[in-house]
Amino acid sequence: VAIRAAFKAVDNGKQVAILVPTTILAFQHHKTFTERLKDMPVTVGYLNRFRSAKQKSETLKELADGKLDIVIGTHQLVNKNVSFKNLGLLIVDEEQKFGVNVKDKLKTIAANIDTLTLTATPIPRTLQFSLMAARDLSVITTPPPNRYPIETQVVGFNEELIRDAISYEIQRNGQVFFINNRIENIKEIAGMIQRLVPSARVG
C-alpha cells in the first residue's frame, strides 16, 4: 500500500517522506522500495545515523533541489536542516513508536500534506480520529503469503514439549527465542536446551 501510494505521488510530481522509528527499518525499507521501483523513473534515498556526513549532505541537497523523489528516514527527517522542494506525501510507519514531540514537528512539515499512517497497533488518538470519520481507516486482515496463524499454548513446564517445539522449528530452518525471566539460572536453561536438542546452536 505504501509503495503504491508513494509511486502515485511521485508520478504526480511530488516528493515522498517515509518516517520510520529505527535505523534498521530505514535500511530495510530503502532496500524494498529500491527493488520494487527499480524499473521506474523514481529515485530513492535514505537518512539514518549510519550514513556518513557526506552522504547525508548529498541526500539533503538532492531533496532540496527536487532530484530525490522518495526519502526514507528516522527522526532525522523532522530536523530543521531537512527541506523539501515539493513534498506531497508523508508516510509514517509504526506510528505508535513516535512520541508527541516528533508528532508536533511533523505538523510543521505536514500542514497541507497527505499523510498515510501504518501501524499494527493504532494509538487511541488515531483510532478516535478514524471512528469520528476525521481520518480514513483501512484494515488489511489478510496475512502475508506463507504466514501461518500463531499457535499459542499455555502449559506447565514440560521438557518433552520444549524439545518437540524447538526440534520442529529447527527442522524448518527457523530460529527460536526462549524467554526466561531470571538471569541467575539462564546458563542452566541453556544447558537444558542443549541437552534436549543436541543439534541446536544455543546462544
Side-chain angles (χ1 to χ4, degrees):
V1 171
I3 292 173
R4 286 181 179 187
F7 179 71
K8 193 156 173 49
V10 173
D11 195 38
N12 285 305
K14 297 284 187 184
Q15 288 175 305
V16 181
I18 300 161
L19 184 64
V20 296
T22 64
T23 301
I24 301 285
L25 205 53
F27 180 69
Q28 286 174 335
H29 278 2
H30 178 259
K31 198 165 164 245
T32 309
F33 271 76
T34 309
E35 280 170 12
R36 278 282 293 276
L37 299 170
K38 68 176 184 288
D39 300 327
M40 306 292 176
V42 177
T43 52
V44 184
Y46 75 104
L47 286 171
N48 66 19
R49 62 193 164 90
F50 289 150
R51 308 216 75 188
S52 67
K54 186 171 176 255
Q55 287 173 316
K56 277 183 195 167
S57 62
E58 275 174 14
T59 304
L60 291 173
K61 188 177 182 311
E62 286 177 355
L63 262 186
D65 295 346
K67 288 179 184 162
L68 193 60
D69 298 315
I70 298 174
V71 65
I72 301 160
T74 51
H75 298 70
Q76 296 186 3
L77 274 187
V78 293
N79 282 356
K80 289 189 181 77
N81 62 345
V82 180
S83 66
F84 297 88
K85 191 177 181 195
N86 188 6
L87 184 63
L89 175 65
L90 172 70
I91 298 173
V92 185
D93 195 9
E94 301 275 357
E95 188 209 15
Q96 75 282 3
K97 298 255 173 75
F98 290 101
V100 175
N101 52 353
V102 174
K103 296 214 171 90
D104 284 343
K105 282 183 187 167
L106 282 182
K107 283 178 195 155
T108 59
I109 304 181
N112 299 314
I113 293 165
D114 291 327
T115 310
L116 172 65
T117 305
L118 310 173
T119 177
T121 46
I123 61 171
R125 199 178 60 169
T126 307
L127 207 52
Q128 169 79 5
F129 278 147
S130 62
L131 295 172
M132 282 163 42
R135 266 195 187 184
D136 294 330
L137 176 73
S138 303
V139 180
I140 298 177
T141 50
T142 322
N146 304 325
R147 173 74 63 87
Y148 294 108
I150 292 173
E151 197 181 304
T152 307
Q153 295 179 10
V154 180
V155 289
F157 192 86
N158 179 330
E159 288 196 354
E160 275 179 34
L161 205 62
I162 291 170
R163 183 195 64 212
D164 294 348
I166 293 176
S167 301
Y168 170 77
E169 199 55 42
I170 288 171
Q171 273 165 3
R172 65 170 208 96
N173 291 327
Q175 288 177 304
V176 177
F177 290 92
F178 193 107
I179 297 173
N180 178 49
N181 60 352
R182 270 199 294 290
I183 290 176
E184 300 90 78
N185 68 343
I186 208 154
K187 285 196 172 132
E188 291 162 37
I189 296 284
M192 177 202 73
I193 294 169
Q194 199 70 79
R195 183 183 73 206
L196 294 173
V197 192
S199 61
R201 285 174 302 181
V202 183

